[in-house]
Amino acid sequence: MAAWGERLAGVRGVLLDISGVLYDGGEDGGTPIPGSVEAVARLKLSKLKVRFCTNDSQKSRRDLVGLLQRQGFDISEGEVTSPAPATSLILKERGLRPHLLIHDGVRSEFDQIDTSNPNCVVIADAGEGFSYQNMNEAFRVLMDLEKPVLISLGKGRYYKETSGLMLDVGAYMKALEYACGIEAEVVGKPSPEYFQLALKEMGVEAHEAIMIGDDIVGDIGGAQRCGMRALQVRTGKFRPSDEQHPEVKADGYVDNLAEAVNLLLQHAIK
Amino acid sequence: MAAWGERLAGVRGVLLDISGVLYDGGEDGGTPIPGSVEAVARLKLSKLKVRFCTNDSQKSRRDLVGLLQRQGFDISEGEVTSPAPATSLILKERGLRPHLLIHDGVRSEFDQIDTSNPNCVVIADAGEGFSYQNMNEAFRVLMDLEKPVLISLGKGRYYKETSGLMLDVGAYMKALEYACGIEAEVVGKPSPEYFQLALKEMGVEAHEAIMIGDDIVGDIGGAQRCGMRALQVRTGKFRPSDEQHPEVKADGYVDNLAEAVNLLLQHAIK
């Protein structure tokens, strides 16, 4: 593999995944990954542009940022691209009235949205909200529509909490897709539109940007398909087999965000 | 389309789907479809062999037969091919110890099965049992296995109860398949092995047998792929659009089981 200097040359902007890179989630709010608080601080002192790009659809952007700030991270709402606000915008633009199958923690993002007489279903990481009854309700709304529209906030397969692996929204999206014979529209990584939104908000072109994430498919593969570079951290949901993934090869593998930031500060724009 | 005489010539055995053909299910036990009790009785008085072939994985075979008998049907346990006993056999043959994600109503079919230290997951129509917690448990068992084995009792998308459409096991099978990156083994229609089991139990060759069902894909398409003929009834989960299905064309469409039996008694073996 080429030297780091070559691989990181010309990088001007950094997109950071949050869960599994900054911190490990958990019912208690989770804990920062060692070195990540300082790594974010160093990155923000550098000439590199920084933006956070998450698929978290269980918490409102405000709650997520509050949680990270309490852990010591230098982060503000305006620096975060997250799927619920992005979806809210899409719903308004297209005049869609959603039936919401979402976690209570993210409901405030949809306060301004008309949910009467629904003409689409929005599904997010609902956690315990993925009961048989709630899934059936969403299914019936879709089956009653002449042209069913299902919007999914991400399509992650699972994530890791301190208590163990948790099924993510993608699994339930697949269940509804199969039952209705439809394909969902995904708002979140690895959707190219979503990466492009984050790049636009950061003000950096794809070829000058690098993604740092723990998800070989959603973060690394998705970013690369948009023309970005991408580093995988060996934290969060990383598994050793990711380094031999049959389809996706990261531009580099690093132990954690701290190592990624060290390399960037050394080898990106001088 | 050819005349009925031609289409039904040489039929010696009839496979009958149960839910949506004999009766419409519901929390109250459901109700017989008008004419079906008499139709089964007439069929069993004829020279035709008859066997019932269901994907019901929520009730034990004994409970299902009891429910149908109380509705007036002439049916006994030995005449029914159902996925739970078929799965139980497979588990014994292969020395598999399942983690069971199933409805309590069908648990008795697995009484003789060792479920300690599971090396596979068996998923059936668990209804309310499809909680986030139970799905997560099954998911974690699969992820802990070096070579995950998922056995699904059918892969139906949904079924109709008196209270409305209900998500079926297939939707949850897809969720686990996607989350784990695996493919399930299906015991039930439209799996060819399952139809062949029913044919063997009836003692009739595929080309001499006809399936009568309400599911255009699971019953009609599945039976035809095994070399059988198949009639779709316009009861149960039938939808008018089924008659223009892009991939499956039944050998005939009839209003209900009573009409199917009239035609069979008139045109099958003389």
Side-chain angles (χ1 to χ4, degrees):
Chain A
M1 202 178 254
W4 282 109
E6 199 173 316
R7 279 184 271 164
L8 300 179
V11 166
R12 287 185 51 237
V14 184
L15 283 184
L16 294 180
D17 180 28
I18 294 181
S19 175
V21 176
L22 268 51
Y23 82 122
D24 278 319
E27 281 169 19
D28 53 354
T31 48
I33 290 169
S36 286
V37 169
E38 299 75 18
V40 170
R42 292 179 67 205
L43 204 51
K44 292 183 78 172
L45 282 172
S46 79
K47 292 183 201 162
L48 293 165
K49 293 201 181 188
V50 181
R51 191 164 180 87
F52 303 90
C53 183
T54 180
N55 265 16
D56 190 317
S57 67
Q58 209 178 65
K59 292 181 271 299
S60 70
R61 190 159 48 172
R62 178 181 305 174
D63 290 348
L64 177 62
V65 164
L67 183 154
L68 290 166
Q69 286 172 342
R70 284 192 297 281
Q71 293 182 1
F73 286 100
D74 176 4
I75 184 170
S76 64
E77 275 191 66
E79 297 172 309
V80 176
T81 300
S82 85
T87 301
S88 188
L89 211 65
I90 290 170
L91 294 170
K92 277 181 208 160
E93 280 172 6
R94 290 166 53 183
L96 290 170
R97 300 180 306 276
H99 171 89
L100 298 169
L101 177 47
I102 62 176
H103 198 279
D104 280 340
V106 78
R107 214 166 280 276
S108 62
E109 300 278 13
F110 298 94
D111 273 352
Q112 307 302 317
I113 302 289
D114 178 8
T115 55
S116 66
N117 188 22
N119 57 7
C120 76
V121 167
V122 166
I123 181 175
D125 174 16
E128 297 291 336
F130 284 130
S131 65
Y132 185 62
Q133 192 182 325
N134 287 348
M135 281 290 285
N136 248 338
E137 268 179 42
F139 168 64
R140 289 172 183 178
V141 169
L142 287 168
M143 291 297 274
D144 278 345
L145 296 173
E146 203 180 330
K147 203 168 154 20
V149 173
L150 173 61
I151 297 179
S152 183
L153 275 64
K155 60 172 195 176
R157 302 194 295 147
Y158 60 89
Y159 54 93
K160 195 173 155 245
E161 296 232 321
T162 39
S163 62
L165 298 181
M166 312 291 280
L167 284 168
D168 198 358
V169 61
Y172 288 90
M173 174 194 89
K174 286 288 170 186
L176 290 176
E177 283 187 342
Y178 176 72
C180 302
I182 60 173
E183 202 166 322
E185 302 174 27
V186 175
V187 180
K189 300 172 285 184
S191 152
E193 293 83 1
Y194 190 71
F195 279 112
Q196 274 144 21
L197 173 67
L199 286 169
K200 193 178 155 197
E201 289 172 329
M202 182 163 63
V204 170
E205 300 284 325
H207 71 276
E208 299 172 316
I210 195 161
M211 174 81 211
I212 301 177
D214 65 336
D215 186 324
I216 184 74
V217 174
D219 293 324
I220 311 305
Q224 289 177 335
R225 268 203 310 283
C226 286
M228 299 170 61
R229 282 165 273 185
L231 303 181
Q232 189 179 16
V233 289
R234 297 192 186 96
T235 55
K237 73 168 76 166
F238 167 83
R239 289 180 160 219
S241 61
D242 290 349
E243 297 194 33
Q244 280 85 44
H245 194 279
E247 282 147 40
V248 183
K249 182 149 196 60
D251 294 279
Y253 302 88
V254 291
D255 282 344
N256 47 41
L257 180 60
E259 186 185 355
V261 168
N262 280 343
L263 290 165
L264 280 165
L265 296 186
Q266 206 180 331
H267 298 291
I269 29 168
K270 309 280 177 174
Chain B
M1 202 179 253
W4 282 109
E6 201 173 313
R7 280 185 272 163
L8 301 179
V11 166
R12 287 184 52 237
V14 184
L15 283 185
L16 295 179
D17 180 29
I18 293 181
S19 175
V21 175
L22 268 50
Y23 82 122
D24 278 319
E27 281 169 19
D28 53 351
T31 49
I33 290 169
S36 285
V37 168
E38 300 74 17
V40 170
R42 290 180 67 206
L43 204 52
K44 293 183 78 170
L45 283 172
S46 79
K47 291 182 202 162
L48 292 165
K49 294 201 181 187
V50 181
R51 188 162 183 91
F52 303 90
C53 182
T54 180
N55 265 15
D56 190 319
S57 67
Q58 209 177 66
K59 292 180 273 296
S60 70
R61 186 156 54 171
R62 177 181 303 174
D63 290 348
L64 177 62
V65 164
L67 183 156
L68 291 165
Q69 286 172 341
R70 285 192 297 280
Q71 294 182 3
F73 286 100
D74 176 4
I75 185 171
S76 63
E77 274 191 68
E79 295 171 313
V80 176
T81 301
S82 86
T87 301
S88 186
L89 209 65
I90 290 169
L91 294 170
K92 278 181 207 159
E93 279 172 7
R94 290 166 52 185
L96 290 170
R97 299 178 307 274
H99 171 90
L100 298 169
L101 176 47
I102 62 176
H103 198 280
D104 280 340
V106 79
R107 215 165 280 275
S108 62
E109 300 279 12
F110 298 93
D111 273 351
Q112 307 303 316
I113 302 290
D114 177 7
T115 56
S116 66
N117 188 21
N119 57 8
C120 76
V121 167
V122 166
I123 181 175
D125 173 15
E128 298 291 336
F130 284 130
S131 65
Y132 185 62
Q133 192 182 324
N134 287 347
M135 282 290 285
N136 248 338
E137 268 180 43
F139 168 63
R140 290 172 183 179
V141 169
L142 288 168
M143 292 296 275
D144 278 344
L145 296 173
E146 203 181 332
K147 204 171 154 15
V149 173
L150 172 62
I151 296 179
S152 183
L153 276 63
K155 60 171 196 177
R157 302 194 295 145
Y158 60 89
Y159 54 93
K160 195 172 155 247
E161 296 233 319
T162 39
S163 61
L165 298 181
M166 312 291 278
L167 283 169
D168 199 358
V169 62
Y172 288 89
M173 174 193 89
K174 286 286 171 189
L176 290 176
E177 282 187 342
Y178 176 72
C180 302
I182 59 171
E183 201 167 321
E185 303 174 26
V186 176
V187 181
K189 301 173 284 185
S191 151
E193 293 81 3
Y194 191 71
F195 278 113
Q196 274 144 20
L197 173 68
L199 286 170
K200 192 179 157 197
E201 289 172 328
M202 181 163 64
V204 170
E205 300 284 325
H207 71 276
E208 299 173 317
I210 195 162
M211 174 81 211
I212 301 177
D214 65 337
D215 185 325
I216 185 71
V217 173
D219 294 325
I220 312 304
Q224 288 177 335
R225 266 204 310 284
C226 286
M228 299 170 61
R229 282 165 272 185
L231 303 180
Q232 190 180 16
V233 289
R234 297 193 187 94
T235 54
K237 74 167 75 165
F238 167 84
R239 289 181 160 217
S241 61
D242 291 348
E243 297 193 31
Q244 281 82 45
H245 193 279
E247 282 147 41
V248 183
K249 181 147 197 61
D251 294 278
Y253 302 88
V254 291
D255 283 343
N256 47 39
L257 180 61
E259 187 186 351
V261 168
N262 281 343
L263 288 165
L264 280 166
L265 297 185
Q266 207 180 330
H267 298 291
I269 29 168
K270 307 281 176 174

mmCIF file of all heavy atoms in Angstrom, chain B residues 134-165:
data_model
loop_
_atom_site.group_PDB
_atom_site.id
_atom_site.type_symbol
_atom_site.label_atom_id
_atom_site.label_comp_id
_atom_site.label_asym_id
_atom_site.label_seq_id
_atom_site.Cartn_x
_atom_site.Cartn_y
_atom_site.Cartn_z
ATOM 1 N N ASN B 134 -36.841 -10.122 21.652
ATOM 2 C CA ASN B 134 -36.724 -11.493 21.158
ATOM 3 C C ASN B 134 -35.964 -11.553 19.833
ATOM 4 O O ASN B 134 -35.218 -12.497 19.580
ATOM 5 C CB ASN B 134 -38.117 -12.111 20.979
ATOM 6 C CG ASN B 134 -38.770 -12.451 22.310
ATOM 7 O OD1 ASN B 134 -38.103 -12.443 23.345
ATOM 8 N ND2 ASN B 134 -40.064 -12.730 22.288
ATOM 9 N N MET B 135 -36.165 -10.560 18.974
ATOM 10 C CA MET B 135 -35.431 -10.529 17.704
ATOM 11 C C MET B 135 -33.939 -10.349 17.964
ATOM 12 O O MET B 135 -33.096 -10.988 17.343
ATOM 13 C CB MET B 135 -35.965 -9.397 16.822
ATOM 14 C CG MET B 135 -37.268 -9.727 16.126
ATOM 15 S SD MET B 135 -37.059 -10.992 14.820
ATOM 16 C CE MET B 135 -36.273 -9.991 13.539
ATOM 17 N N ASN B 136 -33.620 -9.472 18.907
ATOM 18 C CA ASN B 136 -32.213 -9.243 19.271
ATOM 19 C C ASN B 136 -31.558 -10.502 19.820
ATOM 20 O O ASN B 136 -30.413 -10.802 19.508
ATOM 21 C CB ASN B 136 -32.119 -8.135 20.319
ATOM 22 C CG ASN B 136 -31.459 -6.893 19.761
ATOM 23 O OD1 ASN B 136 -30.738 -6.952 18.778
ATOM 24 N ND2 ASN B 136 -31.720 -5.780 20.386
ATOM 25 N N GLU B 137 -32.313 -11.232 20.649
ATOM 26 C CA GLU B 137 -31.767 -12.474 21.214
ATOM 27 C C GLU B 137 -31.436 -13.470 20.114
ATOM 28 O O GLU B 137 -30.359 -14.067 20.104
ATOM 29 C CB GLU B 137 -32.783 -13.110 22.170
ATOM 30 C CG GLU B 137 -32.613 -12.683 23.607
ATOM 31 C CD GLU B 137 -33.645 -13.354 24.509
ATOM 32 O OE1 GLU B 137 -33.898 -14.563 24.358
ATOM 33 O OE2 GLU B 137 -34.218 -12.640 25.353
ATOM 34 N N ALA B 138 -32.372 -13.649 19.192
ATOM 35 C CA ALA B 138 -32.137 -14.588 18.082
ATOM 36 C C ALA B 138 -30.951 -14.122 17.250
ATOM 37 O O ALA B 138 -30.102 -14.921 16.850
ATOM 38 C CB ALA B 138 -33.397 -14.695 17.219
ATOM 39 N N PHE B 139 -30.885 -12.822 17.016
ATOM 40 C CA PHE B 139 -29.789 -12.233 16.236
ATOM 41 C C PHE B 139 -28.437 -12.516 16.889
ATOM 42 O O PHE B 139 -27.469 -12.922 16.237
ATOM 43 C CB PHE B 139 -30.042 -10.727 16.104
ATOM 44 C CG PHE B 139 -28.887 -9.936 15.590
ATOM 45 C CD1 PHE B 139 -28.380 -10.143 14.320
ATOM 46 C CD2 PHE B 139 -28.297 -8.957 16.384
ATOM 47 C CE1 PHE B 139 -27.304 -9.399 13.845
ATOM 48 C CE2 PHE B 139 -27.232 -8.210 15.921
ATOM 49 C CZ PHE B 139 -26.732 -8.437 14.646
ATOM 50 N N ARG B 140 -28.382 -12.328 18.201
ATOM 51 C CA ARG B 140 -27.113 -12.536 18.905
ATOM 52 C C ARG B 140 -26.690 -14.004 18.893
ATOM 53 O O ARG B 140 -25.502 -14.305 18.796
ATOM 54 C CB ARG B 140 -27.215 -12.023 20.342
ATOM 55 C CG ARG B 140 -27.287 -10.509 20.406
ATOM 56 C CD ARG B 140 -27.573 -10.018 21.814
ATOM 57 N NE ARG B 140 -27.704 -8.567 21.868
ATOM 58 C CZ ARG B 140 -27.969 -7.893 22.970
ATOM 59 N NH1 ARG B 140 -28.119 -8.529 24.111
ATOM 60 N NH2 ARG B 140 -28.084 -6.577 22.938
ATOM 61 N N VAL B 141 -27.664 -14.916 19.000
ATOM 62 C CA VAL B 141 -27.320 -16.339 18.902
ATOM 63 C C VAL B 141 -26.684 -16.606 17.541
ATOM 64 O O VAL B 141 -25.643 -17.263 17.434
ATOM 65 C CB VAL B 141 -28.569 -17.235 19.091
ATOM 66 C CG1 VAL B 141 -28.252 -18.690 18.730
ATOM 67 C CG2 VAL B 141 -29.085 -17.148 20.518
ATOM 68 N N LEU B 142 -27.284 -16.073 16.481
ATOM 69 C CA LEU B 142 -26.746 -16.292 15.131
ATOM 70 C C LEU B 142 -25.341 -15.702 14.986
ATOM 71 O O LEU B 142 -24.448 -16.337 14.425
ATOM 72 C CB LEU B 142 -27.680 -15.680 14.082
ATOM 73 C CG LEU B 142 -28.995 -16.431 13.859
ATOM 74 C CD1 LEU B 142 -29.972 -15.592 13.031
ATOM 75 C CD2 LEU B 142 -28.739 -17.778 13.178
ATOM 76 N N MET B 143 -25.151 -14.491 15.514
ATOM 77 C CA MET B 143 -23.859 -13.822 15.356
ATOM 78 C C MET B 143 -22.753 -14.505 16.163
ATOM 79 O O MET B 143 -21.573 -14.339 15.852
ATOM 80 C CB MET B 143 -23.969 -12.347 15.754
ATOM 81 C CG MET B 143 -24.809 -11.519 14.810
ATOM 82 S SD MET B 143 -24.132 -11.378 13.120
ATOM 83 C CE MET B 143 -23.007 -9.992 13.334
ATOM 84 N N ASP B 144 -23.157 -15.256 17.189
ATOM 85 C CA ASP B 144 -22.154 -15.966 17.988
ATOM 86 C C ASP B 144 -21.732 -17.285 17.343
ATOM 87 O O ASP B 144 -20.761 -17.907 17.796
ATOM 88 C CB ASP B 144 -22.700 -16.250 19.397
ATOM 89 C CG ASP B 144 -22.550 -15.045 20.314
ATOM 90 O OD1 ASP B 144 -21.769 -14.143 19.954
ATOM 91 O OD2 ASP B 144 -23.207 -15.002 21.364
ATOM 92 N N LEU B 145 -22.451 -17.739 16.326
ATOM 93 C CA LEU B 145 -22.130 -19.011 15.672
ATOM 94 C C LEU B 145 -21.108 -18.775 14.569
ATOM 95 O O LEU B 145 -21.190 -17.789 13.831
ATOM 96 C CB LEU B 145 -23.386 -19.646 15.072
ATOM 97 C CG LEU B 145 -24.474 -20.060 16.066
ATOM 98 C CD1 LEU B 145 -25.727 -20.522 15.322
ATOM 99 C CD2 LEU B 145 -23.976 -21.158 16.999
ATOM 100 N N GLU B 146 -20.176 -19.710 14.451
ATOM 101 C CA GLU B 146 -19.172 -19.569 13.412
ATOM 102 C C GLU B 146 -19.826 -19.637 12.037
ATOM 103 O O GLU B 146 -19.506 -18.867 11.137
ATOM 104 C CB GLU B 146 -18.114 -20.667 13.565
ATOM 105 C CG GLU B 146 -16.788 -20.299 12.930
ATOM 106 C CD GLU B 146 -15.779 -21.419 13.086
ATOM 107 O OE1 GLU B 146 -15.893 -22.186 14.079
ATOM 108 O OE2 GLU B 146 -14.899 -21.538 12.234
ATOM 109 N N LYS B 147 -20.768 -20.599 11.892
ATOM 110 C CA LYS B 147 -21.499 -20.739 10.630
ATOM 111 C C LYS B 147 -22.984 -20.692 10.982
ATOM 112 O O LYS B 147 -23.575 -21.714 11.322
ATOM 113 C CB LYS B 147 -21.131 -22.087 9.987
ATOM 114 C CG LYS B 147 -21.328 -22.109 8.484
ATOM 115 C CD LYS B 147 -20.758 -23.366 7.870
ATOM 116 C CE LYS B 147 -21.426 -23.740 6.566
ATOM 117 N NZ LYS B 147 -22.248 -22.746 5.889
ATOM 118 N N PRO B 148 -23.585 -19.477 10.952
ATOM 119 C CA PRO B 148 -24.961 -19.328 11.433
ATOM 120 C C PRO B 148 -25.963 -20.114 10.579
ATOM 121 O O PRO B 148 -25.905 -20.065 9.356
ATOM 122 C CB PRO B 148 -25.230 -17.823 11.283
ATOM 123 C CG PRO B 148 -23.909 -17.182 11.047
ATOM 124 C CD PRO B 148 -23.027 -18.221 10.438
ATOM 125 N N VAL B 149 -26.844 -20.872 11.250
ATOM 126 C CA VAL B 149 -27.917 -21.605 10.566
ATOM 127 C C VAL B 149 -29.256 -21.044 11.039
ATOM 128 O O VAL B 149 -29.554 -21.044 12.228
ATOM 129 C CB VAL B 149 -27.838 -23.116 10.876
ATOM 130 C CG1 VAL B 149 -29.063 -23.849 10.300
ATOM 131 C CG2 VAL B 149 -26.551 -23.718 10.319
ATOM 132 N N LEU B 150 -30.032 -20.550 10.081
ATOM 133 C CA LEU B 150 -31.364 -20.011 10.382
ATOM 134 C C LEU B 150 -32.384 -20.828 9.608
ATOM 135 O O LEU B 150 -32.314 -20.917 8.380
ATOM 136 C CB LEU B 150 -31.432 -18.531 9.963
ATOM 137 C CG LEU B 150 -32.800 -17.848 10.036
ATOM 138 C CD1 LEU B 150 -33.339 -17.825 11.468
ATOM 139 C CD2 LEU B 150 -32.721 -16.423 9.485
ATOM 140 N N ILE B 151 -33.312 -21.449 10.334
ATOM 141 C CA ILE B 151 -34.381 -22.226 9.694
ATOM 142 C C ILE B 151 -35.685 -21.467 9.893
ATOM 143 O O ILE B 151 -36.045 -21.117 11.014
ATOM 144 C CB ILE B 151 -34.476 -23.637 10.301
ATOM 145 C CG1 ILE B 151 -33.169 -24.404 10.012
ATOM 146 C CG2 ILE B 151 -35.675 -24.395 9.732
ATOM 147 C CD1 ILE B 151 -33.138 -25.808 10.590
ATOM 148 N N SER B 152 -36.386 -21.201 8.788
ATOM 149 C CA SER B 152 -37.622 -20.429 8.855
ATOM 150 C C SER B 152 -38.802 -21.296 8.448
ATOM 151 O O SER B 152 -38.778 -21.927 7.395
ATOM 152 C CB SER B 152 -37.519 -19.211 7.926
ATOM 153 O OG SER B 152 -38.670 -18.414 8.036
ATOM 154 N N LEU B 153 -39.839 -21.323 9.297
ATOM 155 C CA LEU B 153 -41.033 -22.122 9.000
ATOM 156 C C LEU B 153 -41.928 -21.327 8.053
ATOM 157 O O LEU B 153 -42.834 -20.612 8.456
ATOM 158 C CB LEU B 153 -41.771 -22.489 10.292
ATOM 159 C CG LEU B 153 -41.195 -23.746 10.988
ATOM 160 C CD1 LEU B 153 -39.780 -23.557 11.429
ATOM 161 C CD2 LEU B 153 -42.080 -24.185 12.138
ATOM 162 N N GLY B 154 -41.627 -21.459 6.769
ATOM 163 C CA GLY B 154 -42.326 -20.679 5.746
ATOM 164 C C GLY B 154 -41.612 -19.359 5.524
ATOM 165 O O GLY B 154 -40.670 -19.003 6.256
ATOM 166 N N LYS B 155 -42.016 -18.667 4.471
ATOM 167 C CA LYS B 155 -41.460 -17.334 4.226
ATOM 168 C C LYS B 155 -42.554 -16.403 3.710
ATOM 169 O O LYS B 155 -42.326 -15.536 2.870
ATOM 170 C CB LYS B 155 -40.265 -17.393 3.268
ATOM 171 C CG LYS B 155 -40.544 -17.951 1.890
ATOM 172 C CD LYS B 155 -39.300 -17.726 1.023
ATOM 173 C CE LYS B 155 -39.610 -17.893 -0.430
ATOM 174 N NZ LYS B 155 -38.436 -17.607 -1.278
ATOM 175 N N GLY B 156 -43.770 -16.610 4.243
ATOM 176 C CA GLY B 156 -44.915 -15.787 3.850
ATOM 177 C C GLY B 156 -44.667 -14.326 4.167
ATOM 178 O O GLY B 156 -43.974 -13.999 5.136
ATOM 179 N N ARG B 157 -45.206 -13.449 3.321
ATOM 180 C CA ARG B 157 -45.031 -12.018 3.540
ATOM 181 C C ARG B 157 -46.054 -11.510 4.560
ATOM 182 O O ARG B 157 -45.741 -10.753 5.458
ATOM 183 C CB ARG B 157 -45.186 -11.277 2.215
ATOM 184 C CG ARG B 157 -44.172 -11.768 1.168
ATOM 185 C CD ARG B 157 -44.094 -10.835 -0.017
ATOM 186 N NE ARG B 157 -45.323 -10.795 -0.768
ATOM 187 C CZ ARG B 157 -45.809 -9.720 -1.377
ATOM 188 N NH1 ARG B 157 -45.155 -8.575 -1.308
ATOM 189 N NH2 ARG B 157 -46.935 -9.764 -2.061
ATOM 190 N N TYR B 158 -47.301 -11.928 4.394
ATOM 191 C CA TYR B 158 -48.358 -11.520 5.335
ATOM 192 C C TYR B 158 -49.556 -12.434 5.145
ATOM 193 O O TYR B 158 -49.637 -13.164 4.163
ATOM 194 C CB TYR B 158 -48.768 -10.057 5.116
ATOM 195 C CG TYR B 158 -49.307 -9.784 3.736
ATOM 196 C CD1 TYR B 158 -50.664 -9.922 3.457
ATOM 197 C CD2 TYR B 158 -48.467 -9.393 2.699
ATOM 198 C CE1 TYR B 158 -51.159 -9.681 2.184
ATOM 199 C CE2 TYR B 158 -48.940 -9.154 1.431
ATOM 200 C CZ TYR B 158 -50.299 -9.296 1.179
ATOM 201 O OH TYR B 158 -50.777 -9.073 -0.080
ATOM 202 N N TYR B 159 -50.444 -12.401 6.118
ATOM 203 C CA TYR B 159 -51.693 -13.140 5.972
ATOM 204 C C TYR B 159 -52.830 -12.279 6.487
ATOM 205 O O TYR B 159 -52.608 -11.197 7.047
ATOM 206 C CB TYR B 159 -51.647 -14.502 6.681
ATOM 207 C CG TYR B 159 -51.252 -14.441 8.142
ATOM 208 C CD1 TYR B 159 -52.201 -14.357 9.145
ATOM 209 C CD2 TYR B 159 -49.908 -14.451 8.509
ATOM 210 C CE1 TYR B 159 -51.835 -14.295 10.474
ATOM 211 C CE2 TYR B 159 -49.532 -14.387 9.840
ATOM 212 C CZ TYR B 159 -50.495 -14.316 10.817
ATOM 213 O OH TYR B 159 -50.134 -14.251 12.132
ATOM 214 N N LYS B 160 -54.036 -12.749 6.257
ATOM 215 C CA LYS B 160 -55.203 -11.940 6.591
ATOM 216 C C LYS B 160 -55.931 -12.571 7.761
ATOM 217 O O LYS B 160 -56.261 -13.753 7.728
ATOM 218 C CB LYS B 160 -56.123 -11.887 5.364
ATOM 219 C CG LYS B 160 -57.190 -10.834 5.408
ATOM 220 C CD LYS B 160 -57.895 -10.743 4.062
ATOM 221 C CE LYS B 160 -59.282 -10.185 4.211
ATOM 222 N NZ LYS B 160 -60.330 -11.156 3.899
ATOM 223 N N GLU B 161 -56.137 -11.791 8.800
ATOM 224 C CA GLU B 161 -57.002 -12.245 9.881
ATOM 225 C C GLU B 161 -58.263 -11.401 9.831
ATOM 226 O O GLU B 161 -58.325 -10.417 9.085
ATOM 227 C CB GLU B 161 -56.309 -12.060 11.231
ATOM 228 C CG GLU B 161 -55.070 -12.922 11.371
ATOM 229 C CD GLU B 161 -55.080 -13.764 12.623
ATOM 230 O OE1 GLU B 161 -55.491 -13.263 13.670
ATOM 231 O OE2 GLU B 161 -54.664 -14.942 12.551
ATOM 232 N N THR B 162 -59.247 -11.785 10.616
ATOM 233 C CA THR B 162 -60.484 -10.998 10.591
ATOM 234 C C THR B 162 -60.212 -9.543 10.980
ATOM 235 O O THR B 162 -60.881 -8.636 10.504
ATOM 236 C CB THR B 162 -61.540 -11.629 11.524
ATOM 237 O OG1 THR B 162 -60.890 -12.096 12.700
ATOM 238 C CG2 THR B 162 -62.206 -12.810 10.850
ATOM 239 N N SER B 163 -59.156 -9.313 11.800
ATOM 240 C CA SER B 163 -58.855 -7.938 12.225
ATOM 241 C C SER B 163 -58.013 -7.173 11.207
ATOM 242 O O SER B 163 -57.783 -5.977 11.367
ATOM 243 C CB SER B 163 -58.132 -7.952 13.569
ATOM 244 O OG SER B 163 -56.903 -8.647 13.444
ATOM 245 N N GLY B 164 -57.528 -7.832 10.163
ATOM 246 C CA GLY B 164 -56.737 -7.125 9.152
ATOM 247 C C GLY B 164 -55.510 -7.923 8.738
ATOM 248 O O GLY B 164 -55.328 -9.071 9.158
ATOM 249 N N LEU B 165 -54.660 -7.286 7.916
ATOM 250 C CA LEU B 165 -53.448 -7.946 7.443
ATOM 251 C C LEU B 165 -52.417 -8.051 8.574
ATOM 252 O O LEU B 165 -52.262 -7.120 9.361
ATOM 253 C CB LEU B 165 -52.832 -7.172 6.273
ATOM 254 C CG LEU B 165 -53.684 -7.040 5.010
ATOM 255 C CD1 LEU B 165 -52.916 -6.272 3.930
ATOM 256 C CD2 LEU B 165 -54.123 -8.391 4.480
#
